[in-house]
Amino acid sequence: MTKKILVVEDEKGLLLTLADRLETEGYTVITAEDGNSGLNKVLHTEYDLVLLDVMLPGKDGFEIASKLRASGSTKPVIFITAKNQIDDKIQGFRTGADDYLCKPFEMKELLARIEALLRRAGTQNKKNDDIKIDLEHGLIFIKGKKENLLSQEIKLLQYFYEHEGEVVLRSTLLASVWGYDSNMSTRTIDVHIARLRQKLGDVNDVPKYIQTVRGKGYKFTAP
Ligand code: CA
């Protein structure tokens, strides 16, 4: 089936170039040229992936992406932007970007990233209709059932998302989530993790999302 790509970009020239090339590659393309219509289409049209410019008139790409995630959608988002500072990248990922490309970029690279994300989304969707995590509002939905997250649990999950697949030491978690001057013991982390696992529906014996790495800490695999 033809994959549909939504392109939100206010530079007309770039928008046309992107639409042209994507159509040549066999994608169906929907476009929006400002933040408000971008948000509207991101939330209310059918598509498989969105290319999202950051600097847009009306609403910026970060706001659009975070509203999309807040709606519970896991649709792949690639930010395309001229901003290339590391802080922007981090903000981009926090608001729910799957990938990030700085202008000017090679069309070939963009196409490769689109393909990779669509492939990943295809397998993820099958696997993971049961759980949705909405960090912005501190909620987890498991098979439609709502769980509220405490602020430390949100911070823990944010940290895990930023370091997905890495072994994270307990001491690092303590410093990053509770702060260096905290008097808490690493044991406290285990208690928080146990509760977080429970909310994620992760069984302590064989956790899928937050794995214990013996003698070190934890490794997170996003649902
Ligand atoms: Ca722009």
Side-chain angles (χ1 to χ4, degrees):
M1 210 183 76
T2 321
K3 295 283 183 188
K4 230 182 245 184
I5 298 185
L6 170 59
V7 186
V8 186
E9 168 62 71
D10 64 317
E11 276 170 56
K12 196 134 197 169
L14 180 57
L15 182 67
L16 290 175
T17 309
L18 284 169
D20 242 31
R21 183 60 194 267
L22 290 169
E23 276 167 0
T24 309
E25 296 294 324
Y27 295 109
T28 304
V29 179
I30 320 160
T31 62
E33 290 180 48
D34 64 72
N36 291 315
S37 67
L39 177 63
N40 191 31
K41 288 190 177 165
V42 157
L43 293 178
H44 305 297
T45 55
E46 286 274 312
Y47 58 90
D48 299 290
L49 178 145
V50 57
L51 293 182
L52 190 53
D53 184 23
V54 172
M55 301 300 284
L56 289 162
K59 288 191 167 50
D60 70 24
F62 293 140
E63 190 180 345
I64 295 174
S66 69
K67 292 217 159 99
L68 172 69
R69 291 298 180 245
S71 77
S73 168
T74 55
K75 288 272 163 68
V77 175
I78 302 179
F79 278 129
I80 42 171
T81 174
K83 301 174 94 186
N84 57 2
Q85 287 90 21
I86 188 71
D87 284 350
D88 292 330
K89 285 196 193 184
I90 290 169
Q91 194 187 352
F93 284 110
R94 278 208 178 114
T95 55
D98 298 283
D99 208 341
Y100 198 108
L101 217 53
C102 291
K103 297 174 193 169
F105 50 80
E106 289 288 329
M107 199 60 87
K108 265 192 203 157
E109 185 179 3
L110 176 66
L111 292 171
R113 289 182 185 214
I114 289 175
E115 246 177 68
L117 276 178
L118 285 176
R119 207 166 36 229
R120 211 165 76 190
T123 47
Q124 262 177 4
N125 284 346
K126 274 176 218 109
K127 195 173 70 187
N128 256 319
D129 279 347
D130 289 353
I131 179 162
K132 279 189 179 120
I133 298 178
D134 173 0
L135 283 184
E136 193 186 21
H137 299 95
L139 297 171
I140 293 178
F141 297 90
I142 296 186
K143 293 179 180 157
K145 191 173 156 272
K146 190 166 83 174
E147 288 277 3
N148 287 294
L149 291 168
L150 302 174
S151 68
Q152 301 294 14
E153 293 165 347
I154 297 172
K155 283 191 200 163
L156 267 174
L157 273 175
Q158 262 165 354
Y159 191 86
F160 277 141
Y161 269 103
E162 283 158 24
H163 298 86
E164 197 191 338
E166 296 170 23
V167 175
V168 180
L169 302 179
R170 282 186 178 78
S171 55
T172 312
L173 273 181
L174 196 61
S176 310
V177 177
W178 281 268
Y180 281 99
D181 52 349
S182 113
N183 302 320
M184 290 174 37
S185 75
T186 48
R187 177 78 193 106
T188 317
I189 293 191
D190 298 338
V191 174
H192 277 82
I193 295 284
R195 201 169 49 206
L196 188 53
R197 276 183 182 148
Q198 214 168 33
K199 290 186 179 176
L200 287 164
D202 224 358
V203 187
N204 266 319
D205 297 341
V206 261
K208 273 189 293 184
Y209 310 127
I210 307 176
Q211 276 141 355
T212 304
V213 181
R214 201 180 293 264
K216 291 186 172 161
Y218 297 100
K219 194 168 96 175
F220 178 66
T221 308

